[in-house]
């Protein structure tokens, strides 16, 4: 299944930026980063359980919010992009 | 149809925060804000055209990225939330 992971963390603090980097690393095992805190992933049911488990290890559940949406498939037919296709690099250096 | 709008803007700059506030106002005509820069909206085909038109007026297409995803419906059965349900208030005051 195709899913979208959106992560709301306060990146004004270094700890928040660190958690976002770790969430990105987890998500990139299953898909790709498309925005600063948005990730498109492809998983089966077992991988979804694994992904959720790994994400729970990284986020601060008392402060952050992470949402996982099931997308209409195929995703490329059901997403529209306005503006730049991939712009998260503006927020942080390429090598983190 | 149920859609998700995710907006990637650099909010370190006042102009970026201003654009995000305007994008939020547009999206809130069709749905609700669920994260700092993520909005769940319900639209028909005509409203989707209108929404996209209004969003294009507000964003800086040379700098920002905005993605509109079609969601599996009903949305509430196809979204999982880890951490806080709605935490965007940490980033800015309630009254903006």
């Amino acid at each position: 299944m195709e899913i979208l992971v959106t992560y709301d963390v306060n990146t004004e603090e270094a700890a928040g930026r660190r958690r976002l980097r770790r969430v990105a690393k987890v998500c990139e095992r299953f898909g790709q980063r498309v925005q600063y805190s948005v990730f498109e992933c492809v998983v089966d049911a077992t991988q979804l359980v694994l992904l959720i488990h790994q994400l729970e290890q990284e986020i601060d559940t008392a402060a952050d919010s992470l949402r996982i949406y099931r997308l209409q498939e195929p995703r490329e037919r059901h997403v529209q992009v306005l503006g730049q296709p991939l712009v998260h690099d503006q927020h942080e250096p390429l090598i983190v």
Side-chain angles (χ1 to χ4, degrees), chain A:
Chain A
M1 67 191 96
E2 303 200 71
I3 60 168
L4 195 74
V5 178
T6 68
Y7 183 39
D8 198 2
V9 58
N10 192 336
T11 54
E12 283 161 26
E13 295 168 16
R17 292 193 295 275
R18 195 180 316 123
R19 294 200 298 279
L20 176 54
R21 283 198 297 274
R22 289 178 181 168
V23 163
K25 277 190 185 175
V26 170
C27 290
E28 283 165 358
R29 288 179 208 139
F30 302 94
Q32 68 166 342
R33 192 176 201 165
V34 291
Q35 288 185 347
Y36 188 47
S37 57
V38 177
F39 308 87
E40 293 177 355
C41 300
V42 181
V43 291
D44 61 26
T46 308
Q47 288 171 321
L48 181 58
V49 171
L50 185 68
L51 173 62
I52 290 171
H53 176 73
Q54 292 180 359
L55 290 172
E56 282 173 336
Q57 309 288 308
E58 302 301 352
I59 72 170
D60 177 350
T61 54
D64 306 340
S65 170
L66 190 147
R67 299 174 80 89
I68 301 171
Y69 291 92
R70 191 74 193 279
L71 298 177
Q72 290 274 356
E73 297 174 25
R75 183 191 58 230
E76 58 274 20
R77 278 188 48 206
H78 295 287
V79 57
Q80 281 187 266
V81 181
L82 310 185
Q84 301 301 303
L86 296 168
V87 297
H88 61 269
D89 295 339
Q90 67 180 321
H91 300 276
E92 57 182 307
L94 264 172
I95 298 159
V96 291

